[in-house]
Amino acid sequence: MAAAVGVRRDYTPADLRRCARRSGDADQVRRLLAVALILVGGSRSDAAKLAGVTLQIVRDWVLRFNESGPDGLATRKAPGRASIPER
């Protein structure tokens, strides 16, 4: 089993909730609130249940948050080839 990844502490749970209120991206809001729950002492399992995802996805969110802060939790365009336009 892998060791738990720590969450950066330069943002408070209140900061993350404030970012969530300002965000127009519903998926980013869900991610921010899950990370805020972890910061107040909730378990990652609780955060996963709150967000309706698996523990692995919560871990990925924590890694993204640690790397880029709240902006790292914004919905990104999927990688891969661009779609072929219809004729």
Side-chain angles (χ1 to χ4, degrees):
M1 178 185 272
V5 176
V7 181
R8 65 191 274 181
R9 298 286 177 168
D10 53 338
Y11 289 92
T12 66
D15 292 336
L16 295 182
R17 287 189 215 98
R18 198 172 304 113
C19 289
R21 277 194 299 273
R22 285 184 263 168
S23 177
D25 178 357
D27 290 331
Q28 182 184 24
V29 169
R30 183 170 50 121
R31 295 173 190 127
L32 287 166
L33 294 177
V35 173
L37 178 62
I38 294 168
L39 286 174
V40 296
S43 71
R44 291 174 192 234
S45 294
D46 290 341
K49 286 177 190 172
L50 170 82
V53 297
T54 65
L55 282 172
Q56 180 62 49
I57 291 174
V58 171
R59 183 181 186 279
D60 294 343
W61 292 349
V62 169
L63 292 173
R64 286 172 53 184
F65 175 72
N66 287 345
E67 185 178 316
S68 305
D71 292 337
L73 296 177
T75 302
R76 300 184 273 184
K77 187 174 187 290
R81 282 182 72 186
S83 61
I84 299 171
E86 290 187 37
R87 292 182 183 204

